[in-house]
Amino acid sequence: MTSQRLFRYLRSDFGEIPVRVLHMDLTFDVEDETTTVRSKLHLESGDAPLASLTLNANTLEILAVSCASYPVTYEYDQGNAFLHLTFATPVPPETRFVVQTTTLCRPTANILEGLYYDATPEGAPPQQITQCQQWGFQRIVPCIDDMTAKCTYTTTIIADAAYTNLISNGDVDVERHPACRGRDSITYHNCTTPMAPYLFFLGVGTYDTFTRPLEYPDGTTFTLELLVPPGTDPALAEESLGILADSILWVYLYTGPETYEKRAIRDDLYRLCRERDELIRSGAAEEEIWALRVVLAEMVASIEPGYRYTGSVYREIGMQNSDFGGMENVGNTTITTNRILPFPQAPDGAFDYLIRVKVHEFYHNLNGSEVTGATPFELWLNEAVTVHIEQQYHAFLFGEDYSRLQTVLTLLSPDGGTFYYDRGATSIPIEPDGFNDPNDLITGVTYVKAPEVVKMIETIVGPKTFVKGLDLYHTRYRHGNATTADWLAAMEEASGVPLTAFAEPWMKKTGFPVVAVTSAYDAGSGVLTITFAKTEGSEKWTFPFAYAAVGEDGKILAEDTVLLEDEATVVRHEGIDAPAFLSLNRGYSFYGKVVHSATDEELLRQVREDDDISTRYVAFATLLDREKTRLMGDPTAPVSDHITTLLPSLLADADLMARAGGQFLTIFESVDDEAYAHRYRALYDARRTILRATAEAHTDALMAVYHTQQSKISGGKTLQAKIADIKHRQAKNTALGMLATLDTPEIHELLKRAFVEAANASDRLTAFTAIINSTSRERMHILWDYMRTAREHPVMWEGFLAAVASLATEDATTVVREVMASCAFSIEQANDQRALLGRFAQNKKVSLQTAEGRRFLFEIITTLAPVNEYSTVGILSVLGNIDRMEVEYHLPLIDLLLDVLKEVPPETAPSVHNTARRLLQGSPGARAHFERVRKRTFPHF
């Protein structure tokens, strides 16, 4: 290790670009192995003569460079990916000029940036698509690859006529027509929304294309287009387009500066638009459709709607191989093929993701494309506001309780959850000091923590004011770029509330605040006093805190939301009855944790009576944490009766399951107590002990839940029916998971029937996972037999890999090795990397706490690093809490990181190498132990 800086790029590396980028004329001559790109880059000089100009050009072959008005020479610095131009005569100030280049780029199968190969249908020419976030455009053509270099584009594609689709941004300017030598040409013009280079898209491929119109309430229309693998079931495509159309209509009706005004009219418009679409679909009389259109046009004139799409076509393209689930590209969204269609082979989590990704990527047309962050350091701004809108749409469909609880579980999960990551050595702030690769910024901090900060600001200024501030931001910076300060200024202007000081620590610090809450009730005066004290290290953060005092029968005695600015805040409520319990951090009002010494009796009552689903779940999780901690302290102790009674009673609570789904019964392999929080195998054993004791004591009750919830599953085709079924299935499969811990021949038979007879992918995967973690004599036969079936469909394969990666059995590593070594597994496929290798890494009781698991983890890291740095860095994050683990693991895990540094040099994979260095730097306790035992001193970091 040397003392080189930990980050390759710092904010000081970004500044004002020396020219104004106006337009690009691009011609792509696409061959199977190379693409020739002819570019005319239209620029305007600044207020001083321009003697030289540097363009970004990464791994290109430079064939020609010229500038007609100002002769130019060039030098290509391939190592630093710069094309340096020197003008014979400086370009005068404020003068337009054109730089012309002819270059060659070569797509690859594993560098999923720039132009690369996607999965190719049999008998078709090579499928090629682009991924430009954040600096992929320079892998295609010399350019100023900066987020502020927003311009318009005219793009001509010449490619094999056998391709069904030749795609780029904008509207078709010259229709597709024969060129020569069995090739076709098409030209697109993107002139409405100037876009940053990272939003450019090019695709040549073989797809089935499905379309449908999207008609706004005022009658204006554009076309929705879906490009998916050949042979796709048209019914699935129709359903997928229907979900997309619904999300676009929702964005139009339920966002914008008057979101909360005239809600009844908006609800009627939403309902009537769906009625109109159904009339059109069913072939109703034109007179009936026209009459409804008249009504809709009159109604929509009375509201101020949200974002309206500006193009003539909005296209979703299935991509089989990508580091990301989806990527917006002005009018073209790429979505991983496993999530673009509601496949019957997809588990419920995949369907949930499908709902989210469609509205997320569409909203990026406004937030991210029309208004773009100024640098990669503002990536959070493009994403967090978009996630905020995505969550609102999800809540609109699934219900606020279900949706919010899903986010809370994401925060709390020990397997890649946001709190876990944010306390680790690899965590970076929302606006970090630096990064090694822009993909380093694609983390839970950007996509979960940052949206929580946005939500806190919404709470502080109020929802009605928040949407006005958001509209001011989008209006003021439309077709331009903005910084965090710009966004905050718009919010401050709309609300009159100062936010800059609030935002500073949230933007610049890792971790999260913890609040200790104490209370006292004076029965004589009826006064309740509550003290909110920030624990040590939490003083730097300010945040809203929602709470309530709850009395008999769940009655709210007092409630408020306070802004915690000082180290301690005291509130008083007079003239109230004695509270039965306190409901703290309602709605998960702030990003952080609460310490409160409620009794088990108070928590049990809260779990049953609190009307806020977030605090109700936290009470449940606290009870279970206490039980897990007790059992780890004494593994021979029996499980408490109040726990074994509680679990089946919650599953049998029909109202709770309808509101929150079976996810409410999530019991993590984690506890808050730092003495036990990273004893992964012990945590697994304690959780399993609780579930087994519950199943032994309440077998009949759990069987009843299993069968009752199964009977409630309708199998309906509407979106609302599917959502209801997801909640019933969650409850059913939670009961089955508890029963599976009995691990008896009778249960093995029940699991086998559930697996064989499953009509739904979630049911099948639940049963399969339980079987392969059991002592069933058939477990390995079923595993390998299902592998042969699963490999035939990419969605089934993904689920199979994830189930195998989560194995807790003694042969877990051996089985994962064998699956990885099979011909069905592709190390170059990002989906395979995430599902098997990423999940195995998160299986920390095996990957970190067994010698065989650590050896395999090292092999994964060193094998994957030259293939996909992004996936490898994600895997390395599981090593972010070495200091908090038991001391026996310090030496082997430090050895593992040192071996990674030796095997993965910075020249090969800088993000991986530097992340390993940061992990070592963030583990001072383990390093000190290493130095004492090994008699070695670490070099300066």
Side-chain angles (χ1 to χ4, degrees), residues 4 31 40 114 138 342 436 455 458 486 536 650 662 821 867 896 915:
Q4 77 261 29
E31 301 282 358
K40 293 181 180 179
Q138 61 189 267
N436 293 300
K455 186 173 179 63
E458 180 190 52
D486 294 330
E536 185 178 354
L650 292 175
V867 177
L896 190 157
T915 298

Side-chain angles (χ1 to χ4, degrees), residues 604-852:
L604 279 166
R605 190 162 182 176
Q606 184 173 10
V607 171
R608 298 186 186 281
E609 298 179 12
D610 200 334
D611 68 338
D612 184 88
I613 211 71
S614 298
T615 52
R616 191 174 175 181
Y617 175 78
V618 170
F620 170 78
T622 302
L623 276 171
L624 270 295
D625 275 10
R626 290 179 181 179
E627 190 69 8
K628 284 177 282 186
T629 301
R630 187 178 70 82
L631 292 173
M632 286 196 293
D634 182 7
T636 64
V639 178
S640 303
D641 289 343
H642 68 268
I643 296 294
T644 59
T645 302
L646 177 65
L647 301 184
S649 70
L650 292 175
L651 277 173
D653 185 335
D655 177 69
L656 177 62
M657 293 301 99
R659 291 173 60 195
Q663 64 176 347
F664 188 90
L665 274 290
T666 300
I667 303 172
F668 291 121
E669 294 173 17
S670 66
V671 292
D672 276 342
D673 187 337
E674 279 298 320
Y676 297 98
H678 301 280
R679 293 174 56 186
Y680 306 120
R681 172 56 68 170
L683 284 162
Y684 169 82
D685 291 339
R687 178 183 181 275
R688 189 172 177 86
T689 297
I690 291 168
L691 297 180
R692 184 183 178 93
T694 301
E696 289 173 339
H698 301 282
T699 304
D700 291 343
L702 291 172
M703 284 289 193
V705 168
Y706 178 74
H707 293 298
T708 298
Q709 292 293 343
Q710 173 63 41
S711 69
K712 292 181 178 180
I713 296 172
S714 69
K717 301 300 183 184
T718 67
L719 192 52
Q720 287 308 315
K722 285 176 176 284
I723 290 169
D725 283 353
I726 286 173
K727 296 176 181 179
H728 294 312
R729 235 179 342 262
Q730 282 183 354
K732 166 196 164 184
N733 287 325
T734 300
L736 183 63
M738 291 183 188
L739 290 166
T741 61
L742 296 174
D743 205 15
T744 62
E746 293 79 12
I747 292 298
H748 297 163
E749 189 59 32
L750 172 66
L751 293 171
K752 185 177 178 181
R753 285 200 309 272
F755 173 69
V756 172
E757 299 172 3
N760 174 272
S762 286
D763 291 345
R764 185 177 301 106
L765 275 174
T766 298
F768 175 72
T769 302
I771 289 169
I772 64 175
N773 278 287
S774 74
T775 60
S776 168
R777 289 180 298 177
E778 297 183 81
R779 65 179 285 265
M780 294 310 296
H781 169 74
I782 289 173
L783 189 153
W784 299 122
D785 186 61
Y786 186 50
M787 177 176 171
R788 286 188 289 272
T789 301
R791 63 195 291 178
E792 299 303 318
H793 194 285
V795 177
M796 290 179 68
W797 179 242
E798 183 183 347
F800 168 82
L801 293 178
V804 168
S806 68
L807 274 168
T809 52
E810 289 186 2
D811 60 354
T813 301
T814 300
V815 174
V816 176
R817 276 184 183 276
E818 291 182 25
V819 171
M820 183 181 175
S822 73
C823 61
F825 180 83
S826 173
I827 191 71
E828 292 184 339
Q829 284 289 318
N831 280 337
D832 286 15
Q833 297 163 13
R834 286 188 291 262
L836 186 68
L837 308 184
R839 291 290 186 93
F840 175 81
Q842 288 294 343
N843 190 359
K844 294 184 282 287
K845 59 186 173 292
V846 177
S847 65
L848 300 185
Q849 291 196 317
T850 68
E852 187 180 4

Side-chain angles (χ1 to χ4, degrees), residues 17 24 80 170 189 198 207 295 320 322 386 545 767 788 792 828 863 941:
I17 59 177
M24 291 192 78
N80 291 303
H189 189 46
Y198 80 89
Y207 305 93
V295 172
Q320 193 59 49
S322 175
T386 302
F545 193 105
R788 286 188 289 272
E792 299 303 318
E828 292 184 339
T863 302
F941 284 93

Side-chain angles (χ1 to χ4, degrees), residues 366-617:
L366 172 62
N367 192 76
S369 298
E370 287 202 5
V371 182
T372 309
T375 73
F377 290 94
E378 278 81 28
L379 178 66
W380 83 269
L381 190 52
N382 292 351
E383 297 301 336
V385 172
T386 302
V387 170
H388 184 73
I389 299 299
E390 167 203 317
Q391 290 174 339
Q392 290 180 334
Y393 177 62
H394 189 269
F396 177 80
L397 294 178
F398 284 77
E400 180 62 39
D401 286 336
Y402 181 94
S403 188
R404 188 61 181 153
L405 179 56
Q406 192 179 79
T407 299
V408 171
L409 294 173
T410 302
L411 294 174
L412 298 174
S413 172
D415 295 332
T418 318
F419 286 151
Y420 180 89
Y421 171 80
D422 206 10
R423 290 196 65 191
T426 60
S427 179
I428 58 177
I430 293 173
E431 280 200 348
D433 293 333
F435 58 89
N436 293 300
D437 185 278
N439 286 352
D440 295 353
L441 307 174
I442 310 298
T443 70
V445 166
T446 298
Y447 285 85
V448 183
K449 181 179 183 178
E452 289 299 298
V453 174
V454 171
K455 186 173 179 63
M456 286 191 287
I457 290 176
E458 180 190 52
T459 300
I460 292 169
V461 304
K464 291 184 177 181
T465 301
F466 177 85
V467 294
K468 294 185 185 303
L470 195 56
D471 180 69
L472 176 61
Y473 167 75
H474 288 143
T475 301
R476 179 172 290 167
Y477 298 103
R478 180 162 291 141
H479 296 168
N481 298 85
T483 65
T484 298
D486 294 330
W487 186 75
L488 290 170
M491 287 296 166
E492 289 177 337
E493 185 174 331
S495 66
V497 177
L499 296 169
T500 302
F502 160 86
E504 175 69 17
W506 285 109
M507 294 295 110
K508 301 299 183 184
K509 303 290 184 183
T510 59
F512 49 85
V514 178
V515 179
V517 180
T518 55
S519 64
Y521 178 74
D522 186 327
S525 62
V527 174
L528 172 68
T529 304
I530 307 175
T531 301
F532 306 96
K534 297 176 183 177
T535 60
E536 185 178 354
S538 300
E539 303 87 353
K540 53 185 171 285
W541 284 295
T542 296
F543 46 90
F545 193 105
Y547 69 93
V550 184
E552 297 299 322
D553 301 319
K555 179 184 177 183
I556 301 293
L557 304 174
E559 62 180 329
D560 198 3
T561 299
V562 293
L563 190 64
L564 299 186
E565 298 178 278
D566 301 324
E567 291 187 23
T569 301
V570 179
V571 299
R572 287 165 51 90
H573 294 281
E574 301 179 356
I576 65 172
D577 295 335
F581 58 86
L582 296 181
S583 179
L584 302 170
N585 198 19
R586 287 166 68 81
Y588 228 92
S589 55
F590 82 100
Y591 176 85
K593 293 188 176 183
V594 176
V595 176
H596 179 231
S597 58
T599 66
D600 284 359
E601 291 72 21
E602 289 172 323
L603 291 173
L604 279 166
R605 190 162 182 176
Q606 184 173 10
V607 171
R608 298 186 186 281
E609 298 179 12
D610 200 334
D611 68 338
D612 184 88
I613 211 71
S614 298
T615 52
R616 191 174 175 181
Y617 175 78

